[in-house]
Amino acid sequence: MALNKKITLPLTLLVLAIVVASWLYKSGKLNKVNGWTKSDGTAKQEMSAKPLYTCPMHPFIIKDKPGVCPICGMELIKKINDAQAATTQTAAEKKQAAMLGNVSISPTQRVMANVATMEVRLEDMNKEINAVGIVQYDQTRQAKVTAWIAGRIDKLNVSEVGAYVGKNRPVAEVYSPDLLSSQQEYLLAVKSRGQLKNSPIPAISQNGEGLVQSAKQRLMLYGVKESQIAELERAGKPNIRLPIYTPLSGVVIDKMVQQGQYVNTGDVLFNIADLSRVWVEVEVYENEFPNIKIGQRVEIQSQSFPGKPFSGRIAFIYPFLDPKTRTVKARVEMANPGMKLKPDMFVRASIKVGLGKAIVVPVTAVMDTGKRQVAWVETSPGMFEPRDVQLGQRTDDRVQVISGLKPGDKVAVSGAYLIDSESQLKGNGGGSEAMPGMKMDDKKPAPTTPAPAPAKKDSLKMDDMKM
């Protein structure tokens, strides 16, 4: 009998509790539980009518009133929860929103965050390479005036550096005893040839001509021109001074002798350069030099002549890289009208390169995390999907997409960070990644008794941060 009482009493209490709970449920008393309501026999979480505000750059900052972010100072935007956003979506859109990685943006969020999209299409991509350069002498138009024979500089026709000299005008006159004796030998050989040519013996008559040619060859080795030799033969007497000519017309850039100075064979008297054409050596960075080719047109700008560009073409690309500046030099050959461009002058070079048809998007359409590049593609109105893209050439504000996008896709060109923040809040990962050195996957036990941080004036309120 005692055993029956022990079983009957708990069963009676259990039945009584079920009856009371059933009565409370039917009478609506359970509606008083915070955040829950009864609807169609199922319990659903009550949507809060109170708006919340968050920061697009720091989505863990959530406040119940408008204001600015305590971290970056950006104005807070209204945060719409998933339940409110779902009320304006169709069944197909709700299904897409449930897909991993996709983000749904309501029309209000789109306007507040200034989210704009554009259609991807093939375009003609042109790249402009800007570089600096230095004007140099055209090495094919430089020459040295040297002494062909030892002697004394009796006369200098050029007395200063920078003077212009002509190819057919002597720059100096030299006196040389060796040259004087060689002229006398030539005159004697000419006279002997006249006497021996009438000889009945062929060997003797031919020997006279050989002596003349030998003496003439010796004079030419001393730098005497054939016209000077012909003048010597007509005059019949040697010249005391030998005129020295330059191999080309140009400007004297170095002068190494003075009048009355003795020089030896091979000594340099002047350095001459023709400045009617110059070289410009431009320095192109290593990530841009694959785009330059021999024969490309280059526009040269100088601060000395603003608004007056010069033009030339790339004639040579040096086969080595400067390890200090990480640049490759390209030689531009160009005309120099009026000798306006001076050697060692700094100039700016602009090279326009056509890259052909390519998929091009604004730089703002791609988020670069350091390890990957992500673009947000609008698959349907208000629905965005992250795409990994591979980038190619980049211009001022546009970038080439090699893979990841196709013509016709709509990409977000502004407001992409808001979309990524929404993805982070939903736990999808989005395009952002952890900072280098932070291992987000490592789970470490929290300290049992964390030490409270000392309060500081104007410090951040941790109540605003809902992680």
Side-chain angles (χ1 to χ4, degrees):
M1 188 67 179
L3 181 60
N4 292 336
K5 289 182 179 180
K6 290 182 180 180
I7 297 174
T8 305
L9 183 61
L11 288 176
T12 303
L13 294 177
L14 179 61
V15 171
L16 185 61
I18 293 174
V19 172
V20 173
S22 177
W23 176 79
L24 290 175
Y25 180 81
K26 292 181 179 180
S27 61
K29 299 294 184 178
L30 290 178
N31 291 346
K32 295 181 180 180
V33 179
N34 292 333
W36 294 86
T37 182
K38 181 188 71 173
S39 176
D40 298 333
T42 59
K44 297 183 179 179
Q45 190 174 7
E46 182 181 15
M47 295 184 298
S48 176
K50 189 176 181 180
L52 298 177
Y53 299 87
T54 183
C55 175
M57 295 298 295
H58 304 92
F60 53 84
I61 300 293
I62 300 177
K63 288 189 176 183
D64 57 356
K65 59 183 178 180
V68 295
C69 176
I71 297 178
C72 63
M74 291 183 62
E75 186 176 355
L76 300 180
I77 63 173
K78 189 174 181 181
K79 182 179 183 299
I80 301 178
N81 56 39
D82 296 339
Q84 291 175 334
T87 58
T88 60
Q89 295 178 350
T90 63
E93 291 174 346
K94 292 179 181 179
K95 183 178 180 180
Q96 288 183 346
M99 296 173 61
L100 183 63
N102 287 19
V103 176
S104 176
I105 301 295
S106 67
T108 304
Q109 287 177 303
R110 187 164 189 152
V111 173
M112 294 293 294
N114 193 25
V115 177
T117 60
M118 68 165 289
E119 184 177 346
V120 177
R121 59 180 181 271
L122 287 172
E123 297 181 1
D124 288 326
M125 188 175 184
N126 296 315
K127 183 179 180 67
E128 184 175 354
I129 300 175
N130 296 312
V132 296
I134 301 178
V135 180
Q136 303 284 0
Y137 294 106
D138 186 341
Q139 296 180 9
T140 63
R141 294 174 178 266
Q142 284 184 279
K144 293 181 181 293
V145 180
T146 59
W148 290 57
I149 190 172
R152 183 183 68 241
I153 302 297
D154 274 358
K155 184 178 180 181
L156 270 180
N157 297 326
V158 179
S159 58
E160 59 187 8
V161 174
Y164 182 83
V165 294
K167 185 176 181 180
N168 298 321
R169 296 174 57 187
V171 295
E173 293 182 3
V174 61
Y175 166 76
S176 173
D178 294 338
L179 178 62
L180 183 60
S181 62
S182 297
Q183 292 182 79
Q184 291 174 345
E185 290 178 3
Y186 178 75
L187 292 175
L188 182 60
V190 171
K191 185 177 180 180
S192 299
R193 182 185 61 184
Q195 294 176 354
L196 296 176
K197 69 178 179 179
N198 297 325
S199 175
I201 303 174
I204 296 177
S205 62
Q206 294 176 0
N207 190 29
E209 184 62 28
L211 291 175
V212 172
Q213 293 300 325
S214 177
K216 182 178 180 180
Q217 184 65 26
R218 187 175 182 182
L219 287 174
M220 294 182 68
L221 292 176
Y222 284 158
V224 182
K225 297 182 178 181
E226 290 191 4
S227 59
Q228 293 174 300
I229 296 175
E231 181 63 26
L232 172 64
E233 187 175 348
R234 285 193 298 269
K237 58 180 181 179
N239 295 322
I240 299 177
R241 298 171 183 162
L242 173 68
I244 300 177
Y245 295 88
T246 65
L248 53 81
S249 300
V251 177
V252 177
I253 57 177
D254 286 311
K255 173 177 171 287
M256 278 77 79
V257 294
Q258 300 292 334
Q259 187 167 321
Q261 178 179 340
Y262 280 86
V263 294
N264 294 318
T265 303
D267 286 353
V268 179
L269 309 181
F270 304 97
N271 283 332
I272 311 296
D274 182 5
L275 296 180
S276 61
R277 291 187 65 85
V278 293
W279 289 355
V280 176
E281 291 187 346
V282 298
E283 297 184 355
V284 183
Y285 287 105
E286 57 181 321
N287 64 323
E288 294 180 331
F289 89 88
N291 295 318
I292 63 175
K293 301 290 186 293
I294 294 177
Q296 285 178 331
R297 184 178 178 274
V298 182
E299 186 176 280
I300 303 295
Q301 294 277 355
S302 172
Q303 293 182 352
S304 302
F305 306 97
K308 297 181 179 179
F310 303 84
S311 64
R313 294 192 178 274
I314 297 177
F316 184 73
I317 301 173
Y318 288 83
F320 47 81
L321 180 139
D322 190 337
K324 295 181 179 179
T325 60
R326 310 306 302 174
T327 57
V328 175
K329 289 185 178 181
R331 181 198 304 161
V332 180
E333 295 183 359
M334 55 186 300
N336 186 21
M339 293 189 291
K340 294 180 179 179
L341 296 178
K342 315 299 181 185
D344 297 325
M345 180 183 289
F346 283 99
V347 295
R348 298 187 303 272
S350 176
I351 308 171
K352 294 183 179 179
V353 182
L355 302 177
K357 291 281 188 179
I359 295 178
V360 183
V361 297
V363 175
T364 56
V366 180
M367 296 179 58
D368 194 341
T369 67
K371 294 182 178 179
R372 50 194 285 250
Q373 292 82 33
V374 179
W376 288 94
V377 180
E378 188 176 20
T379 55
S380 61
M383 186 67 58
F384 290 88
E385 174 190 3
R387 294 265 188 93
D388 288 345
V389 295
Q390 183 180 359
L391 304 182
Q393 300 287 342
R394 178 170 177 171
T395 59
D396 294 334
D397 58 348
R398 304 180 77 79
V399 64
Q400 178 187 9
V401 178
I402 299 177
S403 63
L405 296 177
K406 61 181 182 298
D409 289 341
K410 286 187 176 181
V411 294
V413 295
S414 66
Y417 282 97
L418 172 71
I419 303 174
D420 190 71
S421 299
E422 287 291 323
S423 177
Q424 293 293 322
L425 288 174
K426 292 183 178 182
N428 295 334
S432 300
E433 295 181 2
M435 294 182 180
M438 297 179 63
K439 298 181 179 180
M440 306 301 293
D441 297 334
D442 294 345
K443 296 182 180 179
K444 297 182 180 179
T448 56
T449 57
K456 294 183 181 180
K457 188 177 181 180
D458 298 334
S459 61
L460 297 178
K461 295 182 179 180
M462 298 306 293
D463 296 339
D464 297 334
M465 303 183 183
K466 298 183 179 180
M467 305 300 289

